[in-house]
Amino acid sequence: MEDKRLRWILLTAIAPIAWGSTYFVTRQFLPADAPLWGALFRALPAGLILLLISRRLPHGVWWWRAAVLGVLNVGGFFVLVYVAGQRLPSSVAATVMSASAAAMMLLAWMLRRQRPRVLAVVGAGIGLVGVALLVGVGGEPVDGWGLAAAFAGMISSSLGFVLTGRWGNEIPGLTMASWQLTAGGLMLLPVALFVDGPPPALTPTSVLGFAYLSLVSTALAFTVWFAGLRRLPAATVGLVGLLNPVTGVALGVFLAGEPFGIAQTAGLLLVLTGIVLGVVTPRRAPVATPPAPGPTAALLTAAPAAALAGPPAADPSPGHSGSAPSRPGSEAAGPRPRV
């Protein structure tokens, strides 16, 4: 059972690792002047591809549930992240978003009665401190609207993920991802037209970048993430999500030559410690069961019971010769003859 849980944790970890790579891909290969179109190009094709694979449309209450989750996890979330990215230093925005681990624990406790373990809470706190060191939060000026957008985006996705786990236990991860990405991408379309104007011209490099983001960082990542939400507690999934900033920093260091010092090293170790501390379930000692009683123990147990039961009762059936003898002086059946 523990091995199966570990496999699902490792599979779910693909999602934050893939999401962490979006920072590098976006910065290196995608146009910077149309972020909402970029979000739409990432979400809508992924949703339509998964919809063709699953061949399953929403039904009943899932029409409005898919719309709500599409706003929380995709459409509205991408818009809020865009505002936060425009107004905040990336280090501050990443630190605020990493608080989703603690937010998912609290929301899962409130909405799904999943009380977090003490080690999970401690791990989330350690991981949050590690992210702050890893991304290098310093004394940069903080914009109030940007901070509000980052916080709202973090709450939006955390609530959406918890509701996905609560509502979607019977829906496969691939189908759930197709519904939410399609709904969120369609909702992004009018916002992108209004804010960014016409779609940008794409180069071969940007097409490859969008293909990677749509297929790997979105279609694959959301599928395994939602599959993990079906099988793991929300607190565990939230802690695994801390791999997102770790991946972003690692790719920036090794591929883009960004600085990495002692503080970042300490932050990386704290994040990994928090994840391991929070997701690993300590093994419980097996409860010893008493051995089955042997023949000697059965006889010793039966002897006192037989003694307490007394002598066997006489059989009252006619003609029975085993009746108890009468005591001296007892009355015989019938009248005595006179002498």
Side-chain angles (χ1 to χ4, degrees):
M1 188 66 180
E2 187 66 25
D3 293 339
K4 185 177 181 181
R5 181 176 180 271
L6 180 60
R7 285 197 299 268
W8 278 110
I9 290 175
L10 295 176
L11 185 65
T12 307
I14 295 175
I17 292 174
W19 292 336
S21 67
T22 60
Y23 307 119
F24 175 79
V25 174
T26 300
R27 189 178 303 113
Q28 299 293 328
F29 302 106
L30 301 183
D33 54 349
L36 292 179
W37 280 109
L40 188 146
F41 291 156
R42 173 186 172 186
L44 189 56
L48 294 176
I49 291 172
L50 294 180
L51 200 61
L52 290 174
I53 296 174
S54 67
R55 296 182 179 273
R56 185 176 176 184
L57 292 174
H59 54 276
V61 296
W62 273 107
W63 284 106
W64 68 264
R65 285 182 177 180
V68 170
L69 296 176
V71 171
L72 293 174
N73 292 333
V74 182
F77 173 68
F78 284 173
V79 173
L80 291 169
V81 168
Y82 162 63
V83 175
Q86 292 291 324
R87 291 178 170 267
L88 290 179
S90 59
S91 59
V92 177
T95 303
V96 174
M97 294 305 300
S98 68
S100 61
M104 287 183 66
M105 289 185 190
L106 180 60
L107 291 170
W109 191 0
M110 295 169 58
L111 300 177
R112 302 186 62 187
R113 300 295 187 268
Q114 291 183 353
R115 185 173 183 177
R117 297 181 297 109
V118 175
L119 286 179
V121 177
V122 174
I126 294 175
L128 185 58
V129 174
V131 170
L133 291 174
L134 190 65
V135 299
V137 176
E140 300 94 337
V142 177
D143 180 83
W145 287 108
L147 193 62
F151 184 79
M154 182 268 297
I155 294 296
S156 174
S157 61
S158 300
L159 177 60
F161 292 148
V162 171
L163 288 178
T164 298
R166 179 180 179 180
W167 289 342
N169 284 333
E170 77 283 2
I171 306 297
L174 188 145
T175 302
M176 179 67 72
S178 70
W179 292 351
Q180 294 192 30
L181 291 171
T182 302
L186 291 175
M187 293 176 187
L188 275 171
L189 181 59
V191 180
L193 285 170
F194 180 77
V195 176
D196 287 346
L202 300 180
T203 64
T205 301
S206 61
V207 169
L208 290 176
F210 279 126
Y212 171 82
L213 290 186
S214 185
L215 296 177
V216 178
S217 296
T218 306
L220 174 63
F222 273 82
T223 297
V224 297
W225 184 258
F226 291 153
L229 283 171
R230 292 180 62 202
R231 295 167 175 86
L232 298 171
T236 300
V237 178
L239 282 168
V240 173
L242 292 176
L243 291 173
N244 184 338
V246 171
T247 305
V249 172
L251 291 177
V253 170
F254 292 108
L255 299 181
E258 296 178 0
F260 192 82
I262 298 177
Q264 285 77 17
T265 303
L268 176 62
L269 294 177
L270 285 175
V271 171
L272 296 178
T273 301
I275 293 174
V276 172
L277 189 65
V279 304
V280 173
T281 304
R283 293 182 179 270
R284 296 182 178 180
V287 179
T289 56
T296 306
L299 290 175
L300 292 176
T301 305
L308 291 175
D315 189 351
S317 60
H320 182 66
S321 60
S323 59
S326 57
R327 291 173 296 179
S330 62
E331 295 289 338
R336 280 188 179 182
R338 295 176 182 266
V339 179

